[in-house]
């Protein structure tokens, strides 16, 4: 989805949207709104079919009332963000602060536009982790253990 979202022809996008009977729509939507509705539809469908991990895309909001769903927000201070941007994405260290600030602003604006909520506000998620303190690998292990415990308890019921 992320690789192709800017490449979908508008006619195909609208066709996908109009197949979503949960969304009251007409053809006056902007491209961004149409894309959000399409992504929301896909997220709901995937979540109803099988266990999954969905990163971003306002999924915590889209799936907020769905049972057996845990929403998680990962954050870090700027030095840790810069370190990760350089190591994971090859962004030059000198450009990283501006790129990160711009990306975070875009995410925040997008999240607010479609949810009316503040991106990163811990009240919008079940769990938040500071990955500057708890490395992502350890966060993954904590979540895995939490989910495994939940599965084991539901199997015993």
């Amino acid at each position: 989805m992320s690789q192709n979202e800017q490449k979908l022809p508008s006619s195909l996008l609208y066709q996908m949207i109009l197949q979503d009977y949960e969304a009251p729509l007409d053809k006056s939507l902007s491209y961004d709104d149409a894309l959000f509705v399409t992504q929301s539809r896909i997220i709901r469908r995937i979540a109803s079919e099988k266990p999954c991990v969905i990163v971003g895309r306002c999924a915590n909001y889209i799936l907020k009332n769905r049972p057996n769903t845990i929403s998680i927000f990962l954050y870090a201070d700027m030095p840790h963000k810069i370190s990760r941007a350089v190591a994971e994405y090859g962004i030059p260290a000198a450009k990283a602060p501006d790129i990160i600030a711009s990306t975070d602003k875009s995410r925040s604006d997008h999240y607010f536009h479609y949810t009316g909520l503040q991106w990163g506000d811990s009240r919008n998620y079940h769990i938040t982790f500071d990955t500057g303190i708890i490395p992502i690998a350890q966060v993954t292990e904590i979540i895995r253990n939490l989910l495994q415990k939940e599965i084991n308890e539901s199997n015993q019921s």
Side-chain angles (χ1 to χ4, degrees), residues 72-98:
I72 300 161
F73 186 81
L74 305 180
Y75 64 96
D77 61 15
M78 187 56 81
H80 285 96
K81 287 180 179 183
I82 291 169
S83 176
R84 184 160 186 253
V86 170
E88 297 282 327
Y89 304 107
I91 296 172
K95 293 183 178 184
D98 289 340

Side-chain angles (χ1 to χ4, degrees), residues 13-27:
L13 191 59
Y14 282 120
Q15 186 178 27
M16 292 172 73
I17 291 166
L18 294 173
Q19 292 174 9
D20 185 2
Y21 301 112
E22 290 182 38
L25 302 170
D26 62 35
K27 290 193 175 199

Side-chain angles (χ1 to χ4, degrees), residues 51-55:
C52 58
V53 174
I54 300 169
V55 178

Side-chain angles (χ1 to χ4, degrees), residues 72 74 84 127-147:
I72 300 161
L74 305 180
R84 184 160 186 253
I127 306 168
T128 61
F129 290 96
D130 182 342
T131 59
I133 296 172
I134 305 169
I136 292 175
Q138 193 173 350
V139 168
T140 303
E141 192 60 33
I142 291 167
I143 295 166
R144 183 179 295 125
N145 291 338
L146 176 69
L147 295 175

Side-chain angles (χ1 to χ4, degrees), residues 107-118:
R107 288 175 176 162
S108 179
D109 291 348
H110 176 84
Y111 190 81
F112 183 79
H113 179 78
Y114 289 106
T115 70
L117 301 171
Q118 193 68 38

